[in-house]
Amino acid sequence: MNTKYIRLLRPKAWITFLLPFSVGFGLGVTSDTNLLHVVFAFVSFSFWMSFCFVVNAIGDKDVDKFHNGRSKDMNLAHQPLVTGEVTGKAAFSLSIMVFSCSLLSAWVVNPLFFALILFVDILGYIYSVPPTRCKTKPVGDILCNALAAGAAFVAGLSIGGANMNFFMILGAPIMGAICYVPTVVTDYEFDKKAGLKTSAVFFGPKKVLRTLYLLSALLMGVELIVFFTSNLELKVLAVLMVVYAVAIALVSNIKLREERLYIHENWILVPFALISSAFMMYGVLKLLGWVIL
Ligand code: GPP
Ligand code: MG
């Protein structure tokens, strides 16, 4: 694939949503799960992410040119709609194509998976482009990402259908918000310069990061219920989630200096990629019947 399309689709950034999706897959899969469903689910996930990032590039064409390359998977000033390597018309056609493919491949998996992919496609759209463009609405930006993370988790679970636990599902969007909030603060200067009213620009970085303590406490409450009412798999995940959330809350609040939070992108992308790979491998082992719980 030509590098301009890689810069348009930003596959490295997909890791952010691959995490909830693959954790869901790892927990939900059983030795009875149809391998074809697994393949089509991951294909659908890739088309969904492609759709989100193409419409995001279209919506952000006029602001991405201000980016200085910091704290992201790429320097957005080099995205192909800014450089003119891809036309708006070509990007629009591609968005229709990947949107349709995300739904067609989701249809093969199961009805719930299909409904969730449709939901996250809609979230990706309303997040990035007018009239809603939630990425520029205080709270709207966090809500969209939290809901998308939660829905991606349930979609992953639904592939195999095991471990559909209400409280674990409730915890997923809270965890999504906890992971997203520091990234909206690292974008603060860039978004302010671009005139975008994100949660960090509207409330200020300090206040937004303080909410991480509240969200972590909320998550702790939910995961305590999971811990005392669920099986070993969910118990372990509940503990890991709380530890990770508290670490994120502490580190980002400590690292904030005069409204600036600088976290190198690898501090997010590398752990996310490692955890996603671990859960995908765990899922494959369960599928093969090599792990029986
Ligand atoms: C980029 O948003 C993020 C996405 C396109 C994924 C959102 C998908 C959802 C389903 C909510 P951004 O424009 O805020 O960040 P960047 O500056 O990295 O493009
Ligand atoms: Mg963008």
Side-chain angles (χ1 to χ4, degrees):
M1 196 192 273
N2 190 314
T3 86
K4 67 184 178 190
Y5 285 105
I6 293 178
R7 275 179 283 130
L8 183 64
L9 301 180
R10 296 171 62 186
K12 217 166 132 185
W14 300 359
I15 292 170
T16 48
F17 286 106
L18 181 64
L19 176 68
F21 188 76
S22 48
V23 172
F25 162 68
L27 288 181
V29 78
T30 70
S31 55
D32 294 331
T33 304
N34 184 332
L35 178 62
L36 208 66
H37 290 177
V38 176
V39 174
F40 273 92
F42 277 88
V43 168
S44 179
F45 169 85
S46 307
F47 281 122
W48 163 51
M49 282 284 90
S50 303
F51 175 68
C52 287
F53 282 94
V54 176
V55 291
N56 188 258
I58 295 171
D60 288 349
K61 182 176 171 266
D62 294 328
V63 296
D64 281 348
K65 60 182 175 223
F66 295 115
H67 191 232
N68 56 10
R70 258 178 46 172
S71 291
K72 295 216 185 271
D73 52 296
M74 63 174 275
N75 185 339
L76 296 173
H78 300 160
Q79 70 110 314
L81 285 171
V82 172
T83 59
E85 292 162 276
V86 172
T87 62
K89 210 170 149 189
F92 177 74
S93 308
L94 183 63
S95 73
I96 302 283
M97 198 185 90
V98 288
F99 170 71
S100 313
C101 290
S102 73
L103 293 181
L104 281 175
S105 40
W107 188 248
V108 179
V109 184
N110 64 57
L112 176 60
F113 188 89
F114 176 84
L116 288 164
I117 290 295
L118 177 62
F119 177 60
V120 289
D121 272 332
I122 294 170
L123 278 178
Y125 184 85
I126 65 167
Y127 176 76
S128 291
V129 288
T132 43
R133 206 166 180 226
C134 294
K135 62 167 279 175
T136 65
K137 306 272 187 296
V139 185
D141 51 355
I142 299 174
L143 214 57
C144 265
N145 277 279
L147 286 175
F153 173 69
V154 185
L157 274 179
S158 82
I159 304 167
N163 279 321
M164 283 276 189
N165 179 292
F166 174 78
F167 287 101
M168 189 46 99
I169 290 171
L170 191 64
I174 304 173
M175 190 66 197
I178 293 171
C179 293
Y180 177 72
V181 163
T183 72
V184 82
V185 177
T186 55
D187 286 352
Y188 172 71
E189 276 176 82
F190 163 57
D191 288 333
K192 201 173 169 187
K193 199 155 90 184
L196 304 179
K197 226 184 242 169
T198 63
S199 293
V201 174
F202 187 79
F203 297 109
K206 210 171 171 177
K207 251 193 196 157
V208 173
L209 284 182
R210 290 273 187 269
T211 64
L212 286 179
Y213 291 126
L214 196 75
L215 287 168
S216 301
L218 195 64
L219 183 74
M220 219 180 275
V222 172
E223 297 309 328
L224 262 175
I225 301 176
V226 174
F227 189 85
F228 286 113
T229 58
S230 312
N231 61 26
L232 182 66
E233 263 179 316
L234 295 182
K235 271 192 200 345
V236 172
L237 184 65
V239 173
L240 292 178
M241 279 168 75
V242 170
V243 171
Y244 203 37
V246 171
I248 292 174
L250 286 174
V251 170
S252 20
N253 274 283
I254 290 167
K255 280 198 73 156
L256 184 74
R257 298 256 182 281
E258 291 157 14
E259 305 209 309
R260 278 181 189 202
L261 178 66
Y262 178 57
I263 300 175
H264 190 273
E265 61 276 15
N266 284 345
W267 281 101
I268 298 168
L269 294 179
V270 172
F272 271 45
L274 291 175
I275 299 168
S276 304
S277 309
F279 273 90
M280 281 190 282
M281 274 192 301
Y282 178 60
V284 171
L285 291 180
K286 280 171 75 182
L287 189 67
L288 294 171
W290 292 359
V291 175
I292 299 160
L293 289 163

